[in-house]
Amino acid sequence: MKLPTFADPESLSYVYTLLQNSFDQMNNPNNNNSATSTNTRKRRRKNEDGGDDDDDNNHHGSINNNNEVGGKNKKNKKEEIKGILTSILLFDEQEKLENQQSKKVSEDEKFSIETNHKKKTKAMVDYYSNLDDSFSQVEESERVRRKKTRNMSNSVAIAATFSDGLEEATSEGIANDVNGGKTGGSQRRLWVKDRSGSWWDECNNEDFPEHEFKKAFRMGKSTFDLICEELNSAIVKEDTTLRNAIPVRQRVAVCLWRLATGDPLRIVSKKFGLGISTCHKLVLEVCTAIKTVLMPKYLQWPNEDSLRKIKTEFEGISGIPNVVGSMYTSHVPIIAPKISVAAYFNKRHTERNQKTSYSITVQGVVDTNGVFTDVCIGWPGSMPDDQVLEKSALFQRANNGGLLNGVWIVGSSGYPLMDWVLVPYSQQNLTWTQHGFNEKIGEIQKVAKDAFARLKGRWSCLQKRTEVKLQDLPVVLGACCVLHNICEMKGEKMDPELKVDIIDDEMVPEVGLRSVNSLKARDAIAHNLLHHGLAGTSFL
């Protein structure tokens, strides 16, 4: 017979209840014969009333039968109780066996984990021990190398010192000893790597063609000489005992060629016969000198006489009076920065080029000749044009200092309409008058866009991600704007093949109207243009 099993606490509780009732019945014999006693009392009453002996006999027979049935019931109950007890014992044994198996599995898993942990710990200890040994060997070899280098440098310095004070024959002997026994005039500087600077030597020659020089440095020789003369006091270096200083002309040439081509520093190094780190240092030094020395002279806000001239020229271009500048904001690509990556992410460039792009902004105001009169450089590329304007020094001077009272700076639809910023109509369903106004204001905007096209075309480093650090990039970009102004002022014509196309990334500001007076003034200008026949010509 298959014994019952109990999978839940309710079944087990039921078994214990059944056992308890069975034991109570077995311990109380009167309960088993209660029915028999009741029948006996009834028959006795009947006999007292005149019943016969047969009834009495029947009565005794029924008592005996009841006793037999009670005995069988007790036996059956004992068998049931025995089966239940057996089931409980088997259930306890099964539960103990399962607990033992579970405990054994847990111990095996624990042992396996501890074993693996010990193996991994031993492997890591061995790895770091080998790594420490390798680093120790490298440090030792580096220490020996530095010691040898110092000894060699000291020997060369001593030889150079003695050669200055001794006679010519003695100095030649020392030079021959240093050069390994070779005969020659001058002492060789062993610690300076020999590089060929023949390309620059050829460019620096007076017979070098003018158009080739201009192609290499984006300006003629006369303009190049002017820049060298202006920067001479700021970047000149003196010769030392062990090294001759790099000439000023070569320093300026390294910087201009790097900005003009945007080529990697390793190529600049090969062209000029200098080290890569030296070229990088020269570019930053010259750009810093340009910002310090030349920017106050060649990039500044016009004086009153110049402003009157600019107003007349802009009015001659568009018919719009009191315009003193054309404003535009462009982006320069950069390598993804290590901090604030989201701020420099350029969503519009990324969507257009299908490539993740990061940039910084360059906001510039130009006159009718495309010369920058104000720049704001370095704000992250995720900022729209109106926010860049609000961060600029021009905005602060105009709103707080009254720099632009009664005059206009023309901007694109990415700027808000303000008391001193004039922008085109940007709503739909424009009237004839509004179309004519936008046409004329577009001619002023084109001046700034063309200036940025020449800026990026002349200095190709602005078209690609450079190796300059983010914190140094505003200095480099400012130097490019100053050099652009010098070339424009000196009449340096740019090769048309170098000119690039400027793509508009304008975003209409959330608050496009900042002044009700400027709204009325713009409407008045538009009506005057149409009334005098200066607008709407493209629709005829």
Side-chain angles (χ1 to χ4, degrees), residues 329-335 337 339-350 357-363 376-388 470 473 477 505-507:
T329 299
S330 184
H331 290 254
V332 176
I334 62 172
I335 299 174
I339 58 175
S340 303
V341 179
Y344 292 90
F345 175 70
N346 192 316
K347 182 180 179 181
R348 288 158 287 177
H349 286 193
T350 300
S357 300
Y358 301 89
S359 66
I360 65 172
T361 59
V362 179
Q363 175 189 283
C376 178
I377 302 171
W379 291 104
S382 63
M383 294 178 60
D385 295 350
D386 60 321
Q387 292 184 15
V388 175
L470 185 61
L473 199 53
L477 300 184
D505 291 318
E506 301 168 357
M507 295 178 61

Side-chain angles (χ1 to χ4, degrees), residues 1-4 6 14-23 25-26 71-89:
M1 179 182 68
K2 184 178 179 180
L3 297 176
F6 308 100
Y14 170 76
V15 170
Y16 279 115
T17 302
L18 183 62
L19 285 174
Q20 185 67 34
N21 294 334
S22 300
F23 282 125
Q25 292 178 4
M26 292 174 63
K72 290 180 181 181
N73 291 336
K74 288 181 180 181
K75 185 176 181 180
N76 291 336
K77 288 181 179 179
K78 287 181 180 180
E79 290 178 355
E80 290 179 0
I81 293 171
K82 183 177 180 181
I84 292 171
L85 292 175
T86 304
S87 299
I88 293 174
L89 292 175

Side-chain angles (χ1 to χ4, degrees), residues 131-194:
L131 193 62
D132 290 338
D133 294 339
S134 300
F135 279 131
S136 299
Q137 294 176 2
V138 171
E139 290 177 356
E140 181 66 21
S141 61
E142 185 67 18
R143 186 183 64 80
V144 173
R145 187 187 67 78
R146 287 198 300 268
K147 185 176 180 181
K148 290 181 179 179
T149 302
R150 285 196 300 270
N151 293 336
M152 184 177 294
S153 300
N154 292 334
S155 300
V156 173
I158 293 172
T161 303
F162 277 105
S163 64
D164 293 337
L166 297 178
E167 296 179 354
E168 183 178 355
T170 307
S171 64
E172 290 179 357
I174 295 176
N176 291 335
D177 292 337
V178 174
N179 291 330
K182 294 182 181 180
T183 60
S186 62
Q187 176 185 333
R188 182 181 179 187
R189 308 179 194 281
L190 299 179
W191 59 282
V192 179
K193 182 179 179 180
D194 287 336

Side-chain angles (χ1 to χ4, degrees), residues 347-484:
K347 182 180 179 181
R348 288 158 287 177
H349 286 193
T350 300
E351 293 175 350
R352 184 174 64 249
N353 302 328
Q354 298 298 315
K355 183 179 180 181
T356 304
S357 300
Y358 301 89
S359 66
I360 65 172
T361 59
V362 179
Q363 175 189 283
V365 179
V366 301
D367 61 13
T368 52
N369 297 319
V371 175
F372 288 101
T373 56
D374 184 87
V375 291
C376 178
I377 302 171
W379 291 104
S382 63
M383 294 178 60
D385 295 350
D386 60 321
Q387 292 184 15
V388 175
L389 176 62
E390 293 175 359
K391 298 289 185 179
S392 66
L394 177 67
F395 184 88
Q396 303 299 327
R397 287 183 294 165
N399 286 354
N400 300 331
L403 176 67
L404 298 171
N405 288 336
V407 296
W408 296 105
I409 290 180
V410 172
S412 64
S413 58
Y415 298 102
L417 181 62
M418 303 171 61
D419 290 332
W420 52 276
V421 178
L422 188 62
V423 299
Y425 293 95
S426 58
Q427 70 269 21
Q428 296 181 352
N429 302 322
L430 299 179
T431 64
W432 182 284
T433 303
Q434 293 170 345
H435 272 295
F437 175 83
N438 285 359
E439 176 188 347
K440 288 300 178 181
I441 207 172
E443 296 177 0
I444 301 179
Q445 289 179 321
K446 188 175 183 298
V447 176
K449 291 183 63 176
D450 289 345
F452 271 98
R454 293 195 299 274
L455 172 71
K456 289 189 173 183
R458 183 176 277 124
W459 311 114
S460 300
C461 66
L462 305 181
Q463 303 176 32
K464 58 185 73 174
R465 300 181 298 177
T466 63
E467 301 169 359
V468 181
K469 295 181 180 179
L470 185 61
Q471 60 267 26
D472 297 328
L473 199 53
V475 176
V476 176
L477 300 184
C480 291
C481 294
V482 174
L483 294 172
H484 166 85

